[in-house]
């Protein structure tokens, strides 16, 4: 499984615009880390698809995040922002930020 994190907007938008997305490939991870990533993705996908039933306030300086999950020839894209992020998406985002670039 390959997971790509792209960050958009917010106060850091000018800095982030030129940076490539973070990519984590489970084939390059230790087995325990790959299993943890798979578990986090499995929890975040249905939570992101369900969406937030209560609309949140708009925040012009909020960051938005796109997480693309590629596995077995299929691709899913999860998009959430600082103002409407599910707990499951937030957990996956924290994990990706902590592990991207460590491979």
């Amino acid at each position: 499984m390959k997971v790509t994190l792209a960050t958009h907007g917010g106060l850091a938008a000018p800095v982030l615009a030129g940076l490539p997305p973070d990519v984590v490939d489970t084939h390059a991870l230790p087995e325990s880390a790959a299993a943890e990533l798979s578990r986090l993705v499995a929890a975040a996908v249905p939570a992101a698809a369900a969406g937030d039933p209560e609309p949140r306030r708009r925040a012009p300086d909020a960051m938005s995040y796109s997480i693309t999950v590629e596995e077995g020839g299929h691709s899913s894209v999860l998009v959430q922002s600082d103002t409407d992020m599910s707990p499951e998406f937030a957990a996956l985002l924290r994990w990706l930020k902590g592990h991207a670039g460590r491979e």
Side-chain angles (χ1 to χ4, degrees), residues 19-85:
L19 297 177
D22 292 321
V23 178
V24 177
D25 190 336
T26 56
H27 297 292
L29 295 173
E31 190 175 323
S32 61
E36 184 178 4
L37 177 56
S38 294
R39 180 186 62 76
L40 290 167
V41 166
V45 168
D52 189 352
E54 296 181 34
R56 306 268 173 112
R57 63 178 172 77
R58 303 285 291 163
D61 60 346
M63 301 284 287
S64 63
Y65 309 93
S66 300
I67 298 175
T68 304
V69 180
E70 299 173 67
E71 184 175 29
H74 299 288
S75 179
S76 299
V77 180
L78 314 174
V79 179
Q80 295 195 3
S81 73
D82 287 336
T83 60
D84 67 357
M85 191 180 304

Side-chain angles (χ1 to χ4, degrees), residues 3-25:
V3 182
T4 305
L5 168 64
T7 305
H8 313 279
L11 297 174
V15 174
L16 297 172
L19 297 177
D22 292 321
V23 178
V24 177
D25 190 336

